[in-house]
């Protein structure tokens, strides 16, 4: 196909969009509605996954040391734990700092329960706060740390805590949220494709006489198909861009209202972090559906 012929097809595709005004509007509206629902759910899934990732990242292991553990043994233990390949960070929290943190967490009303405890009379142990690279390995890593007691006669580790039971439940919930979100997004995408393609099919059905005349005067299937191909792509592009604009305005408004109300305690992903993924997905899907709907729908009318 020559460049001149291609430009002719592009012009005809653009003309068809405006010449068939109401049918084009119906197709674009169908795309906007379908992609809007899909886009809202994608944004919801992205934010739910972000919350799940944040919950996963806050999983920590607390290694409480025996009261008789001296500095040299503590440093040795800290080095051994830090050398484990699963560990991302290890922080030493002295018993003095632990007492201060406990007072701060309990607040003024409960602080009186800690009266009488000071540096010389502190019941809390020194603690190593351990963070892992992959949150799902926390139970395995906790067992490895506990096993270090067997390599030292002093048994410097008093207790290893990581929220056993509740952590496993958390991981099950976050995994289910991600899987369900993926299934719903995939299902909505397929529904959108069929809904939009059927609307475009109705548009082309109304123009079957035009297609038949072109066939009778000798136009090839290839020559007839290209303007519809361009028209479908243009309809999909317009619909997806409108959808992206609406989602942007709605998301930014919601983001502003949530940030202005700290009582909600919610934090949305900044739109600047996800706009490329969202707009790229919607535009790509819109153009794909427009082209697919046009080419599939016109096929039956090319047999005259």
């Amino acid at each position: 196909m020559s460049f001149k012929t291609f430009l002719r097809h592009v012009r005809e595709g653009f003309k068809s969009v405006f010449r068939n005004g109401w049918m084009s509007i119906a197709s674009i509206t169908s795309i906007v509605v379908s992609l809007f629902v899909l886009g809202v759910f994608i944004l919801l899934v992205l934010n739910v996954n972000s919350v799940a990732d944040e919950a996963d990242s806050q999983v920590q292991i607390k290694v409480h040391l025996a009261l008789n553990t001296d500095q040299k043994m503590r440093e040795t233990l800290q080095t051994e734990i830090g050398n484990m390949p699963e560990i991302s960070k290890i922080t030493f929290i002295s018993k003095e700092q632990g007492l201060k943190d406990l007072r701060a967490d309990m607040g003024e009303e409960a602080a009186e329960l800690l009266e009488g405890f000071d540096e010389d009379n502190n019941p809390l142990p020194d603690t190593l706060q351990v963070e892992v690279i992959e949150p799902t390995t926390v139970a395995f890593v906790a067992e490895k740390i506990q096993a270090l007691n067997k390599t030292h006669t002093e048994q410097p580790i008093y207790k290893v805590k990581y929220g056993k039971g509740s952590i496993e439940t958390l991981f099950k919930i976050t995994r289910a949220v991600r899987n369900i979100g993926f299934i719903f997004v995939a299902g909505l995408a397929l529904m959108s494709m069929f809904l939009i393609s059927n609307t475009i099919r109705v548009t082309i059905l109304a123009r079957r006489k035009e297609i038949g005349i072109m066939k009778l005067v000798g136009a090839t299937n290839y020559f007839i198909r290209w303007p519809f191909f361009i028209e479908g792509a243009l309809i999909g592009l317009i619909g997806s861009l409108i959808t992206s604009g609406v989602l942007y305005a709605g998301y930014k408004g919601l983001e502003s209202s949530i940030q202005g109300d700290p009582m909600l305690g919610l934090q949305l992903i900044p739109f600047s972090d996800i706009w490329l993924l969202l707009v790229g997905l919607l535009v790509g899907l819109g153009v794909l559906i427009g082209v697919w709907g046009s080419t599939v729908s016109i096929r039956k009318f090319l047999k005259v």
Side-chain angles (χ1 to χ4, degrees):
M1 180 176 58
S2 66
F3 183 69
K4 184 177 180 180
T5 304
F6 176 74
L7 288 180
R8 181 264 173 198
H9 293 325
V10 171
R11 285 197 303 271
E12 287 300 314
F14 272 82
K15 288 179 182 178
S16 295
V17 172
F18 296 100
R19 186 168 57 239
N20 303 282
W22 287 111
M23 296 304 294
S24 295
I25 291 174
S27 298
I28 292 172
T29 301
S30 176
I31 289 176
V32 170
V33 172
S34 300
L35 292 185
F36 177 79
V37 174
L38 179 62
V40 167
F41 203 84
I42 289 174
L43 289 172
L44 177 62
V45 170
L46 287 174
N47 278 279
V48 169
N49 280 339
S50 177
V51 172
D53 290 339
E54 180 66 23
D56 287 351
S57 66
Q58 293 179 356
V59 173
Q60 297 175 338
I61 301 172
K62 292 188 180 294
V63 183
H64 299 303
L65 305 182
L67 295 177
N68 61 348
T69 302
D70 57 25
Q71 181 177 350
K72 183 178 180 181
M73 176 54 68
R74 188 259 299 170
E75 291 175 350
T76 299
L77 194 63
Q78 190 169 349
T79 300
E80 291 175 344
I81 296 174
N83 288 335
M84 292 180 181
E86 299 89 357
I87 305 301
S88 63
K89 183 180 179 182
I90 181 169
T91 306
F92 170 65
I93 302 175
S94 66
K95 59 183 180 181
E96 292 79 17
Q97 183 61 46
L99 186 60
K100 291 179 182 178
D101 293 342
L102 183 60
R103 283 198 173 103
D105 293 339
M106 293 181 66
E108 295 182 359
E109 296 181 359
E112 60 183 25
L113 297 174
L114 300 176
E115 289 183 2
F117 295 112
D118 52 30
E119 294 184 3
D120 298 326
N121 183 26
N122 188 341
L124 299 181
D126 290 333
T127 301
L128 297 177
Q129 183 172 284
V130 179
E131 298 178 19
V132 295
I133 298 174
E134 177 55 50
T136 54
T137 64
V138 65
F140 170 71
V141 174
E143 291 180 2
K144 284 182 64 175
I145 294 174
Q146 186 68 59
L148 292 176
N149 260 348
K150 299 178 181 179
T151 64
H152 300 282
T153 56
E154 300 90 340
Q155 293 198 336
I157 299 175
Y158 167 65
K159 182 181 291 186
V160 178
K161 296 177 64 177
Y162 67 92
K164 185 177 181 179
S166 59
I167 292 299
E168 286 81 358
T169 301
L170 172 65
F171 289 150
K172 288 180 181 178
I173 292 173
T174 55
R175 186 163 52 247
V177 166
R178 293 187 180 98
N179 292 338
I180 292 173
F182 175 79
I183 292 171
F184 268 93
V185 167
L188 280 173
L190 289 174
M191 289 176 59
S192 299
M193 290 182 70
F194 283 107
L195 176 62
I196 296 168
S197 66
N198 284 335
T199 304
I200 295 175
R201 188 174 300 171
V202 172
T203 303
I204 295 177
L205 180 65
R207 297 160 62 186
R208 60 187 181 277
K209 290 184 179 179
E210 175 187 342
I211 298 171
I213 293 173
M214 293 176 68
K215 283 286 293 182
L216 291 174
V217 297
T220 64
N221 292 345
Y222 185 78
F223 190 84
I224 296 172
R225 185 181 287 115
W226 260 98
F228 286 98
F229 181 89
I230 299 296
E231 181 181 355
L234 185 60
I235 288 173
L237 178 62
I238 294 172
S240 59
L241 290 177
I242 293 174
T243 305
S244 299
V246 173
L247 287 173
Y248 170 78
Y251 192 86
K252 293 297 288 186
L254 181 62
E255 194 176 10
S256 299
S257 63
I258 288 178
Q259 288 179 347
D261 190 356
M263 295 296 291
L264 292 175
L266 297 175
Q267 184 67 41
L268 294 179
I269 302 175
F271 194 81
S272 58
D273 292 349
I274 57 176
W275 75 269
L276 188 60
L277 170 65
L278 180 67
V279 175
L281 182 62
L282 292 180
V283 169
L285 189 59
V287 172
L288 174 65
I289 292 173
V291 171
W292 179 67
S294 295
T295 53
V296 170
S297 302
I298 197 176
R299 188 176 301 162
K300 63 181 295 184
F301 302 116
L302 294 179
K303 299 175 182 180
V304 177

